[in-house]
Amino acid sequence: MGKMDYDIKSSSPTGTDTEKGGLPTYTDEATAVPGEVFVQGDSLFAKTQRFVTKFGVEPRGIERVPEDERTDTNLVQVGTVWCSANMVVSSFAIGALAIPVFELGFVDALLTILFINLLGITPVCFFSTFGPRFGLRQMVLSRYFFGYYGVKVIAIFNVLACVGWSSVNVIVGAQLFNAVNPDVPGWAGIIIIAACTFFITLFGYKIVHKYEFWSWIPSFIIFLIVLGEFAHSGKFKNLTLHKGGPEAGSVLSFAASVFGFATGWTSYAADYTVYQPVNTSRRKVFLWTWAGLIFPLLFTEMLGLAVATATMNGPDDNPYITGYGKAGIGGLLAAVLFPPLGRFGEFCLVILALSIIANNCPNIYSLTFSLQLMTRYAQKVPRFIFTFIGTVIYCAIAIPGYSRFEEVLENFMLLIGYWLAIYEGIALSEHFIFKKRKYDLTIWNSPNELPPGIAAVLAFCFGVFGAVMGMAQKWWKGPVGRKIGLPMFGGDVGFELAFAFAAVSYWGLRFAEKRFFKR
């Protein structure tokens, strides 16, 4: 993490354009936006913001945060927001997929979980350090990599990721409710979790951080209970490693799923440090983020893997096989907790179902900024309205997808890994090779001074081509992916090729772009 140098210019607002939504007019519109601007004027926007701020709702959207308003000095929160978001049953489910879906042994799946998580979380930790320095949300910060207009393409993918993550997560939670009480249909569990998530994200940054600060603790305690009860059951089975091409294909495909989950937070990373003081240690931000990610991911995924080995123990009346067949991951956890713990086991499952709220809060909070980035008109819509719209949309997707969770989860994790590998290949190349860690913070909102974005968009297309070449999914196997493992299943190397194709093509394209456009 080398030193970042900044050429910061100052600007001041000259007034407020109340006829066009109450947003400020600047001599240099690249300046940071003071918080009081959002409630000034007689426009509908300003009146709405004045009303909701009385209840503690955050009025700020994608506008840059001034340095004097970056007053969140609690570095522990940098870690706990990610600890809570990953100490959930969704990450448990990722580990469990290794057995029924990818048919791996225990040791090979364990090692895949370890090393791929270490790789996947590194970009999240790195970009988290940008929040205090820039005062910009991650997608707005991405204008320095993709340009003012090119970043809109990335924002579309981020919207799909936020909505998709949320849909997948509430399905897991609804399965747990159904495992506790079969009379609770999937759609009811989905709506319960979504409504709770909406209530928290409605208020914004401070409330999200306060909730995430504590919510990992009950989940961790219950996962410890799961660990203890499963160890006591004697149902663990040390599945042997396989060999040759089939093993390589399964490991690579499982690795793609693990990578997609771990690195999935990259496109939100700076959103949760944006109110940290500008002089906050980047090393501390990096390390707190790393600790907050690696601990819950390894613990829950490895636990899920261990419990899933019990589904390979016959006979057919095995409660683990029966539970998994009836209610998926929820039924698998129920098989661990119900027989020995009875009603207390049901209580534990309900808490784990509600833990999904902590996982979905970052998705729905960050969704709003990507939507506001699409057009200037979207900035005239208060952030909390987009929160409501996003909640309705992911519920509409999750309810019909409830009965096909494993297929949805596997395919979605892989797709997330593809596009974020492309994003990382381009963003890291721009930062280290072309920006050389130097940024002019005054141009964040200036289309004619930011990179044109042509090179980034073209490189993104090359990255998509690489992903298609390396895919190994049920609905498509690329020419590279199908040559790994068994022809029927292949081995997924989509995210590796996506990163390589995007990064290498971007180097050449960006050199040409800078030479022609001089920016």
Side-chain angles (χ1 to χ4, degrees), residues 126-140:
F126 178 71
F127 285 115
S128 291
T129 67
F130 282 54
R133 292 295 187 268
F134 283 78
L136 292 172
R137 315 288 182 171
Q138 185 68 38
M139 281 294 100
V140 186

Side-chain angles (χ1 to χ4, degrees), residues 39 124 326 383 419:
V39 296
V124 189
K326 286 183 176 179
R383 179 195 58 79
W419 96 262

